[in-house]
């Protein structure tokens, strides 16, 4: 088809009304855009109370009332004029924008496609003043409290083609409500009220961010979030990062603000996503409410018509700051939130009459060191003054005595399992004083459930631990630290196999091993070709010595082949180490001694990100005493 021939026209200046309507195409995309512009103006006026009233999804009416400074009578016409604003006056002001609005075109654009009435009253005015239509309208006396009301009716009444592109009433209302939620999240110091078709939908009173975010995002977010507040030079980030266990299938719970302005910035989204990569693999999305404050001169907010994108002067520094701040917040665990890593109990401490008598009389607590499958472990035992067997003591209640002779090493069946020492001792126990000080937040093991879960008791109640998920996280962090230590010149600790493990390999696996010896060595593996169809594993990282060497070798070779040696060590490092940790972690139905269970608890308390496994699943949960009381109707 041939393109239609357009008639030749001379160059001429466009009329103001058409200019405003063209601008409205960028600024007033749909009713929610009007709500956003008017709310930003209300906040810029210093309002602490804002009411939003919508009719028919905002298409029929949008009325926003605030208690801000108001607009003087003689300036009301200018408020509706194009490019008239009190927020900037020079290029310097434009480069240091400290307000949400600044272009001075929003009201003029809205007035060109809708019927607009502005009513305003300043603090020193005897009454309010009103202007209708446009900047050419007359100003007349009106009634109203201090502040401003902008009433927008019949959106796109004079541009019916634009109105045809709008969606259903409920859809348009949903977009408007989302804008109000975003802005209300950024300003918990301002009260907001939202109504639709005469019915109040939401009411948010002045509060703290913690309460406002819980109100808007729900209790699920409130119960699964980490607070953060960090500063570096002129940069500050504060707010809440959702726990990986509360991740979602969609990214609809992500709110990021720059100097109070909601933005969708690829750099910031990437920085946060990278911070979650250690605890949230796959296609899940974290939820968060984060605010970045910085010198306005360091960020350009004038790069998008809707002001939803920004550009940073030093984007790399901002990215690294956000990444490390969120990563540090996620490295905390609920267990270690009490303070630092638990301190060891004294080697021996004498308890007075009451504590001693609970165990058959005065006596002494002794602390013995034992080597377990999880590393060095300490055992506290009570030696009574009178003859008799030692008995465990746990916060004024009897513990569970368990004979460890019946259990092999944690990874029983391996090469060194038969010779692994198991000390004949009582379970890991502590004095009431230590428990009162909450030195051991995850408490002490009581038993195993179905070979999968560890049951432990702490001062709050019952702790349930998924032993495979917990051990997987511990191994993963140890592997990652060992690999990162090589950057500072430390060698990866490797375990040479007394008898190399050989297995059949195809030509691709053999060539991958031959061509990537440096990468394999960096990862702690010595995998050599014995023949065109045979590979031998001669050494593995010490942390993985109890795992199946053939399975580990195949996993490493597969990743190196698919992504290349350099990418595996840089971009794919976490995924590979997570796979190796999963293969090595203690499996379900593995019987653990009480000592080994307690060793796992102690390592969890001293391991970063120990609240989740590498896939974002929880490793432990707390069931408090009052929850147990409710189950059994105690006190009712």
């Amino acid at each position: 088809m041939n393109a239609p021939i357009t008639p030749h026209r001379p160059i001429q200046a466009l009329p103001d009304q058409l200019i405003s309507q063209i601008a409205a195409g960028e600024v007033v995309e749909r009713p929610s855009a009007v709500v956003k512009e008017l709310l930003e103006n209300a906040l810029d006026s210093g309002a602490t109370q804002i009411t939003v009233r919508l009719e028919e999804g905002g298409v029929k009416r949008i009325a926003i009332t605030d208690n801000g400074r108001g607009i003087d009578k003689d300036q009301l016409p200018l408020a509706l004029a194009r490019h008239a604003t009190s927020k900037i006056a020079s290029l310097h002001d434009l480069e240091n924008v400290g307000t949400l609005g600044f272009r001075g075109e929003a009201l003029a654009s809205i007035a060109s496609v809708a019927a607009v009435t502005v009513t305003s009253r300043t603090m020193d005015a005897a009454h309010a003043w009103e202007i209708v239509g446009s900047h050419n309208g007359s100003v007349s006396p009106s009634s109203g409290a201090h502040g401003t009301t902008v009433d927008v009716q019949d959106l796109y009444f004079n541009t019916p083609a634009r109105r045809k592109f709008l969606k259903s009433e409920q859809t348009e209302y949903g977009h408007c409500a989302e804008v109000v939620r975003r802005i209300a999240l950024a300003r918990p110091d301002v009260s907001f009220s939202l109504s639709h078709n005469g019915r109040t939908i939401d009411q948010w009173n002045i509060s703290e961010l913690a309460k406002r975010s819980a109100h808007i995002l729900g209790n699920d977010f409130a119960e699964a979030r980490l607070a953060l507040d960090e500063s570096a030079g002129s940069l500050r980030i504060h707010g809440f990062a959702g726990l990986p266990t509360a991740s979602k299938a969609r990214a609809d719970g992500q709110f990021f603000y720059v100097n109070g302005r909601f933005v969708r910035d690829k750099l910031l989204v990437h920085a946060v996503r990278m911070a979650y990569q250690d605890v949230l693999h796959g296609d899940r999305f974290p939820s968060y409410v984060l605010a970045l404050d910085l010198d306005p001169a360091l960020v350009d907010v004038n790069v998008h018509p809707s002001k939803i994108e920004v550009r940073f002067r030093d984007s790399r520094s901002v990215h690294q700051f956000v990444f490390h701040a969120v990563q540090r917040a996620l490295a905390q665990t609920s267990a270690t939130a009490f303070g630092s890593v638990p301190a060891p109990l004294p080697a021996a401490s004498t308890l007075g009459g009451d504590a001693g008598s609970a165990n058959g009389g005065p006596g002494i607590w002794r602390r013995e060191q034992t080597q377990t499958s999880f590393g060095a472990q300490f055992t506290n035992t009570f030696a009574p003054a009178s003859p008799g067997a030692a008995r465990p003591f746990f916060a004024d209640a009897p513990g569970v005595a368990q004979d460890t002779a019946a259990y092999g090493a944690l990874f029983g069946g391996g090469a060194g399992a038969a010779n692994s020492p198991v000390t004949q001792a009582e379970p890991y126990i502590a004095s009431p004083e230590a428990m009162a000080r909450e030195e051991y937040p995850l408490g002490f093991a009581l038993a195993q459930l179905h070979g999968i879960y560890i049951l432990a008791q702490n001062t709050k109640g019952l702790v349930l631990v998924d032993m495979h998920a917990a051990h997987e996280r511990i191994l993963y962090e140890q592997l990652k630290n060992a690999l990162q230590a090589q950057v500072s010149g430390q060698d990866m600790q490797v375990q040479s196999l007394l008898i190399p493990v050989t297995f059949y390999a195809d030509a691709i696996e053999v060539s991958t091993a031959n061509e990537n010896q440096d990468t394999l060595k960096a990862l702690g593996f010595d995998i050599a070709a014995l023949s065109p169809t045979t590979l031998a594993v001669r050494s593995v990282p010490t942390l993985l010595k109890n795992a199946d060497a053939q399975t580990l070798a195949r996993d490493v070779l597969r990743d190196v082949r698919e992504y290349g040696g350099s990418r595996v060590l840089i971009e794919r490092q976490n995924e590979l180490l997570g796979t190796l940790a999963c293969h090595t972690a203690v499996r379900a139905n593995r019987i653990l001694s009480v000592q080994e269970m307690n060793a796992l608890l102690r390592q969890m308390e001293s391991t970063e990100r120990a609240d989740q496994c590498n896939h974002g699943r929880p490793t432990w949960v707390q069931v408090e005493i009052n929850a147990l009381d409710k189950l059994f109707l105690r006190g009712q």
Side-chain angles (χ1 to χ4, degrees):
M1 294 179 62
N2 295 324
I5 300 175
T6 57
H8 173 73
R9 290 174 179 166
I11 298 173
Q12 57 185 346
L14 295 175
D16 285 345
Q17 177 70 6
L18 182 57
I19 292 173
S20 295
Q21 289 176 334
I22 293 173
E26 295 180 342
V27 178
V28 191
E29 180 184 2
R30 62 195 324 160
S32 60
V34 176
V35 174
K36 173 181 177 293
E37 296 292 344
L38 298 184
L39 282 177
E40 289 182 346
N41 281 344
L43 291 173
D44 285 341
S45 74
T48 60
Q49 183 177 335
I50 299 176
T51 301
V52 181
R53 289 170 290 164
L54 306 174
E55 293 181 18
E56 296 183 9
V59 178
K60 182 178 180 181
R61 187 183 188 192
I62 300 170
I64 296 183
T65 301
D66 67 65
N67 66 343
R69 289 184 295 272
I71 305 171
D72 290 329
K73 170 191 172 183
D74 58 350
Q75 294 210 318
L76 275 174
L78 281 175
L80 291 172
R82 291 182 61 245
H83 302 304
T85 179
S86 62
K87 299 168 187 178
I88 60 171
S90 65
L91 179 61
H92 177 269
D93 293 339
L94 184 61
E95 293 175 343
N96 294 268
V97 174
T99 53
L100 296 175
F102 55 87
R103 295 192 184 118
E105 60 180 330
L107 279 175
S109 298
I110 294 168
S112 70
V113 293
V116 174
T117 300
V118 179
T119 305
S120 191
R121 179 183 176 185
T122 58
M123 291 294 293
D124 56 354
H127 56 78
W129 293 91
E130 178 182 278
I131 184 170
V132 180
S134 70
H135 65 287
N136 294 320
S138 60
V139 179
S140 59
S142 182
S143 61
H146 299 119
T148 302
T149 296
V150 181
D151 196 340
V152 179
Q153 299 189 39
D154 297 323
L155 192 61
Y156 302 128
F157 76 96
N158 56 356
T159 52
R162 291 293 304 277
R163 194 159 186 163
K164 290 179 182 179
F165 284 94
L166 297 179
K167 305 298 181 184
S168 67
E169 174 182 327
Q170 196 58 36
T171 298
E172 294 301 338
Y173 166 73
H175 286 288
C176 292
E178 180 63 18
V179 166
V180 179
R181 289 171 73 236
R182 289 175 188 164
I183 293 179
L185 265 177
R187 295 296 301 271
D189 59 325
V190 177
S191 69
F192 291 84
S193 175
L194 171 64
S195 65
H196 185 221
N197 292 336
R199 184 168 65 94
T200 300
I201 306 297
D202 277 307
Q203 177 80 44
W204 300 299
N205 297 323
I206 294 175
S207 61
E208 301 294 329
L209 179 59
K211 187 174 181 180
R212 177 67 60 86
S213 59
H215 193 163
I216 292 178
L217 299 184
N219 289 332
D220 289 345
F221 178 76
E223 294 172 1
R225 63 186 179 185
L226 295 167
L228 73 152
D229 191 340
E230 289 202 22
S231 300
S234 63
L235 299 175
R236 180 196 175 204
I237 186 170
H238 55 101
F240 296 97
L243 291 174
T245 48
S247 62
K248 307 174 71 174
R250 298 190 303 163
D252 57 353
Q254 300 181 348
F255 298 85
F256 211 118
Y257 302 88
V258 175
N259 287 347
R261 186 191 310 278
F262 175 80
V263 299
R264 285 199 190 99
D265 185 80
K266 292 180 180 178
L267 179 138
L268 297 175
V269 170
H270 182 266
V272 177
R273 184 70 186 177
M274 290 293 290
Y276 273 91
Q277 67 176 348
D278 258 3
V279 291
L280 192 63
H281 297 165
D283 298 325
R284 304 289 294 177
F285 295 91
S287 297
Y288 52 79
V289 178
L290 298 172
L292 177 67
D293 299 332
L294 72 165
D295 185 342
L298 301 179
V299 57
D300 184 0
V301 298
N302 192 27
V303 296
H304 191 275
S306 64
K307 303 189 287 288
I308 204 167
E309 297 177 9
V310 294
R311 183 184 296 118
F312 297 101
R313 179 170 295 179
D314 189 350
S315 58
R316 178 176 176 81
S317 295
V318 171
H319 182 282
Q320 289 299 99
F321 172 70
V322 172
F323 164 68
H324 287 297
V326 177
Q327 186 186 52
R328 278 191 291 270
L330 294 173
Q332 304 173 33
T333 68
S334 299
T336 55
F338 294 94
S340 58
V341 175
L345 289 173
S349 58
T350 303
L351 298 181
D354 290 341
S357 61
N359 288 273
I364 237 177
W365 288 87
R366 291 194 175 87
R367 187 172 176 85
E368 301 174 5
Q369 182 171 348
T370 307
Q371 193 66 29
T372 73
S373 303
F374 290 104
Q377 176 61 44
F378 295 93
T379 303
N380 296 314
T381 56
F382 182 81
S386 58
R391 180 173 160 212
F393 186 90
F394 184 90
D396 295 328
V400 177
Q402 184 171 355
D403 183 6
T404 59
Y407 302 100
L410 175 58
F411 303 109
N419 299 321
S420 297
V422 180
T423 300
Q424 302 298 314
E426 293 293 339
Y428 194 103
I429 50 184
S431 68
E433 288 84 354
M435 292 303 300
R437 293 194 300 269
E438 294 181 325
E439 292 182 12
Y440 302 93
L442 292 181
F444 298 90
L446 300 174
Q448 241 181 318
L449 181 65
H450 289 293
I452 299 173
Y453 301 104
I454 294 173
L455 306 183
Q457 176 180 330
N458 65 0
T459 55
K460 291 185 176 181
L462 179 67
V463 174
L464 296 172
V465 178
D466 181 332
M467 66 184 193
H468 172 75
H471 195 207
E472 184 179 348
R473 167 57 68 182
I474 292 168
L475 281 173
Y476 172 69
E477 293 295 332
Q478 291 175 339
L479 283 169
K480 188 174 63 173
N481 292 336
L483 191 58
Q484 292 174 348
Q486 293 184 90
V487 178
S488 58
Q490 302 177 34
D491 293 332
M492 169 80 77
Q493 296 296 312
V494 299
Q495 174 71 50
S496 297
L497 304 182
L498 185 61
I499 302 176
V501 175
T502 60
F503 60 95
Y504 172 80
D506 58 33
I508 295 178
E509 287 177 320
V510 172
S511 63
T512 301
N514 288 334
E515 295 169 5
N516 293 275
Q517 284 297 307
D518 290 342
T519 299
L520 295 174
K521 183 179 179 181
L523 291 167
F525 289 89
D526 182 357
I527 304 174
L530 298 184
S531 74
T533 58
T534 306
L535 286 175
V537 184
R538 294 172 176 168
S539 66
V540 296
T542 302
L543 293 167
L544 308 179
K545 64 182 179 180
N546 292 308
D548 182 87
Q550 178 180 334
T551 302
L552 295 180
R554 288 191 184 278
D555 285 336
V556 171
L557 291 174
R558 183 190 64 245
D559 268 34
V560 170
R561 179 177 71 248
E562 290 184 7
Y563 302 104
S566 59
R567 283 194 65 194
V568 164
L569 290 176
I570 300 173
E571 299 175 25
R572 300 283 305 179
Q573 177 194 124
N574 293 332
E575 286 83 352
L576 174 58
L577 296 184
T579 300
L580 298 179
C582 186
H583 283 313
T584 312
V586 58
R587 293 295 178 183
N589 299 318
R590 178 76 69 182
I591 301 299
L592 305 184
S593 70
V594 173
Q595 286 178 302
E596 288 169 326
M597 288 188 275
N598 280 310
L600 181 62
L601 298 178
R602 300 293 79 79
Q603 282 198 288
M604 288 175 65
E605 290 169 343
S606 59
T607 298
E608 292 184 341
R609 308 172 187 88
D611 285 351
Q612 298 86 30
C613 74
N614 313 327
H615 312 290
R617 294 190 296 269
T619 58
W620 69 282
V621 295
Q622 174 82 58
V623 183
E624 298 190 1
I625 285 292
N626 58 4
L628 294 173
D629 289 342
K630 288 181 181 178
L631 288 175
F632 292 97
L633 305 179
R634 290 179 62 86
Q636 297 185 24

